[in-house]
Amino acid sequence: MTFLNHLINGISLGSVYAIIALGYTMVYGIAKMLNFAHGDVIMVGGFVSFLTVSSAGVPAIVSVLISMAVCTVLGVLIERLAYKPLRGAPSLAVLITAIGVSYFLQNAAQLLWGSDSKVFTSVVPFNSISLAGGKLVITPESIVTVSACIVIMVALTLFTAKTKMGKAMRAVSEDKGAAQLMGINVNSTISVTFAIGSALAAIAGILLCSAYPTLSPTTGSMPGIKAFTAAVFGGIGSIPGAMLGGILLGIIEIFSKAYISTELSDAIVFAVLILVLLVKPEGLLGRHVREKV
Amino acid sequence: MAMLKVEDINVYYGSIHAVRGVSFEVNEGEIVTLIGANGAGKSTSLNTVSGLLPAKSGKIEFLGRDLHGIAPHRIVGLGLTQVPEGRRVFSQMTVEENLDMGAYTRAAGEVKDSMADVYDRFPRLKERRRQLAGTLSGGEQQMLAMGRALMSHPKLLMLDEPSMGLAPILVDQIFDIIKELHASGVTVLLVEQNARMALSIADRAYVLETGKVALSGTGAELMASDKVREAYLGG
């Protein structure tokens, strides 16, 4: 039973990583850049939800929507102000800028909201489910997180396969120049990608803080790096890869904590990444299912 | 009146002066070709017309409208579509999705008829419409690239090296298709290294050498010119 409990916790944490990893992988697929500020957008999402609930007293679900809206605008602004001027610049310049934006967001949050951790109240208003005489406990956060992850996965898959904008995103990710010759506005396609990724980051931030209820300006950085790892693990640029990578990473992390060592769990997670990349440099699903977005 | 008017454009790649004061015109209903060796500035000229490269100086007018500063995706909407060199089909997308992308600037209601037209013209594409474009042969990919461009319903179709890398029999087929398209009312600007084929179907032609227009005239005139025969038609 404890094994099952750990597995559920792992899948739940992994679902959060997966939702974050989708943002990394979509932006990478379209703009061919690693947006290292993505993790900090998660933190902003958490804070917006926290503040709207605790100070303004809005209902949890409304706070989620506000948080998504704020992060969407933030993501699009970051792209416009920081990355767009660097289109065509060497990728190292873009990478350094992304790290700069990440520190900017962390410090801005510290200035605005202080550096002490806040206690986040879960946005999920249900009680845990006990099964097998209390031996197996499923938290409502787990259920909501895993369901959100599945819904997002299905929605994104349909979006990229069926809609005009989704197909345009795939076209841009494959060949920007040819996409322009089709009449596709590459800049607005990139903006839409950042908007979707950032809205997902808001959801991920709130789910993460609901399950692990502390919130500080650096809350997003570790999950951000792990989700990036998950995206690479699954095959960066691939939507199913981000999902698979995220969930596996979550399971590995929780199992390492439970059965090996809490202190070493992060080291184990990254060691697994190194191993996978040694054997399969393109990531788990990075080859045949190259549905890059 | 000239449909496309390119006047004295200069284009640079960094410090390399790739196109030096090139001027040419395409009139409605014509097939015009730019021929010349590798690096003569043919593709660069085409990409400048498409808005992918900026001209440092000079003027490009399409249907009386100055294209300066207009983004490439808007130029397509004006009826000026390019089939790029090397086909550049979206290899991870199906044939039909590629055609959908070609119709990106058009209203949803108009796409269906255009798709049927393209499938009529290229039955091969219809057979393979669910297949990923990357699995097609070179000739089929060229057909897809042309079909995709036709989906935008262009007034002027610019083709960059459509015969490149194709077997002779396919080259003939591609040129037949270009003639058919022209007969159905599409104006064509063709960039080719295969000068013999290009001149044989062109109303007028320009010879580019090291970024400049070296010669121009009707297709027949250039075909008969000693200079062209020696340099481009193998004597």
Side-chain angles (χ1 to χ4, degrees):
Chain A
M1 276 308 152
T2 47
F3 174 83
L4 258 185
N5 262 330
H6 292 319
L7 185 64
I8 289 165
N9 289 338
I11 292 173
S12 170
L13 177 64
S15 297
V16 175
Y17 290 156
I19 297 171
I20 308 170
L22 283 172
Y24 272 109
T25 224
M26 288 174 71
V27 164
Y28 180 83
I30 295 274
K32 299 289 175 283
M33 65 158 295
L34 296 171
N35 176 20
F36 276 117
H38 190 61
D40 303 293
V41 176
I42 298 166
M43 171 272 296
V44 173
F47 265 104
V48 171
S49 169
F50 173 77
L51 292 171
T52 47
V53 171
S54 67
S55 320
V58 304
I61 184 72
V62 179
S63 87
V64 174
L65 295 176
I66 295 173
S67 174
M68 285 172 72
V70 170
C71 286
T72 302
V73 173
L74 179 66
V76 172
L77 270 181
I78 289 172
E79 196 276 322
R80 277 286 149 89
L81 298 178
Y83 304 147
K84 195 179 166 199
L86 294 174
R87 201 113 353 115
S91 55
L92 198 57
V94 186
L95 188 68
I96 292 166
T97 305
I99 294 171
V101 173
S102 164
Y103 280 114
F104 172 80
L105 290 178
Q106 286 180 23
N107 286 288
Q110 209 169 71
L111 206 62
L112 282 172
W113 303 312
S115 56
D116 53 318
S117 333
K118 316 273 186 286
V119 180
F120 192 94
T121 323
S122 171
V123 294
V124 187
F126 311 110
N127 293 323
S128 295
I129 300 166
S130 284
L131 296 172
K135 282 190 195 136
L136 181 62
V137 180
I138 303 172
T139 66
E141 286 81 9
S142 293
I143 296 171
V144 171
T145 304
V146 174
S147 321
C149 184
I150 293 168
V151 169
I152 289 167
M153 170 80 190
V154 171
L156 271 185
T157 306
L158 287 176
F159 174 74
T160 54
K162 302 284 179 206
T163 67
K164 191 171 177 179
M165 178 49 84
K167 287 187 222 175
M169 283 165 73
R170 283 158 61 206
V172 171
S173 104
E174 207 176 309
D175 188 336
K176 275 197 190 65
Q180 280 178 304
L181 291 178
M182 302 297 108
I184 296 170
N185 183 344
V186 169
N187 283 331
S188 63
T189 310
I190 292 177
S191 292
V192 170
T193 310
F194 270 84
I196 295 174
S198 305
L200 295 182
I203 297 174
I206 294 165
L207 291 172
L208 184 75
C209 292
S210 294
Y212 302 85
T214 53
L215 179 60
S216 77
T218 53
T219 290
S221 62
M222 200 49 165
I225 289 175
K226 284 192 189 142
F228 164 64
T229 308
V232 176
F233 189 32
I236 194 146
S238 153
I239 286 181
M243 279 296 182
L244 182 67
I247 288 168
L248 283 178
L249 206 76
I251 294 173
I252 294 169
E253 181 176 335
I254 296 288
F255 277 8
S256 313
K257 274 188 178 141
Y259 296 114
I260 305 172
S261 150
T262 313
E263 287 82 12
L264 280 178
S265 69
D266 288 346
I268 294 167
V269 164
F270 291 113
V272 169
L273 170 79
I274 292 170
L275 277 179
V276 168
L277 291 187
L278 279 176
V279 182
K280 219 169 175 303
E282 70 280 2
L284 294 174
L285 298 184
R287 205 155 125 219
H288 294 298
V289 194
R290 237 185 138 67
E291 198 203 21
K292 299 193 299 179
V293 147
Chain B
M1 196 194 84
M3 190 177 218
L4 176 71
K5 198 168 177 180
V6 174
E7 257 177 51
D8 197 24
I9 54 165
N10 284 282
V11 187
Y12 291 78
Y13 285 114
S15 60
I16 299 163
H17 195 173
V19 168
R20 305 157 180 254
V22 164
S23 302
F24 61 88
E25 284 183 12
V26 182
N27 297 310
E28 186 160 3
E30 281 187 316
I31 298 183
V32 172
T33 180
L34 308 180
I35 58 173
N38 235 342
K42 307 180 303 287
S43 296
T44 307
S45 300
L46 226 56
N47 284 332
T48 309
V49 172
S50 278
L52 293 175
L53 294 169
K56 199 146 198 171
S57 63
K59 194 173 184 187
I60 301 172
E61 270 184 14
F62 179 64
L63 297 170
R65 186 163 174 178
D66 187 355
L67 295 188
H68 181 77
I70 301 187
H73 67 271
R74 296 213 185 283
I75 290 177
V76 178
L78 299 175
L80 181 51
T81 304
Q82 187 194 146
V83 180
E85 183 178 349
R87 349 219 187 274
R88 288 169 71 176
V89 296
F90 301 113
S91 59
Q92 304 295 319
M93 300 172 81
T94 64
V95 167
E96 190 144 305
E97 285 173 337
N98 269 272
L99 294 177
D100 273 340
M101 290 296 99
Y104 193 78
T105 53
R106 307 189 62 202
E110 302 168 332
V111 177
K112 215 172 175 181
D113 285 348
S114 295
M115 184 95 65
D117 282 351
V118 168
Y119 281 150
D120 269 356
R121 206 180 283 283
F122 305 103
R124 209 39 189 274
L125 295 182
K126 189 172 188 180
E127 284 166 31
R128 316 213 152 193
R129 64 182 194 277
R130 306 249 170 265
Q131 225 169 294
L132 290 184
T135 64
L136 300 182
S137 72
E140 289 165 347
Q141 288 193 13
Q142 184 61 45
M143 288 176 197
L144 177 57
M146 290 167 74
R148 188 176 66 172
L150 290 176
M151 293 294 292
S152 69
H153 205 64
K155 298 186 176 88
L156 172 58
L157 184 67
M158 303 194 291
L159 297 144
D160 195 353
E161 305 272 8
S163 75
M164 194 173 68
L166 297 184
I169 185 160
L170 286 169
V171 173
D172 288 344
Q173 210 180 332
I174 294 295
F175 273 84
D176 284 343
I177 293 166
I178 296 171
K179 280 189 273 185
E180 279 171 35
L181 287 175
H182 176 244
S184 69
V186 183
T187 306
V188 175
L189 174 59
L190 172 67
V191 158
E192 258 301 337
Q193 280 193 58
N194 188 336
R196 188 182 301 277
M197 286 301 280
L199 290 177
S200 72
I201 65 165
D203 295 307
R204 291 186 307 108
Y206 297 82
V207 180
L208 263 64
E209 275 173 10
T210 57
K212 291 183 186 148
V213 175
L215 277 173
S216 65
T218 65
E221 274 167 21
L222 290 186
M223 194 81 114
S225 136
D226 288 343
K227 202 177 165 209
V228 171
R229 293 170 75 99
E230 208 175 293
Y232 302 104
L233 302 176

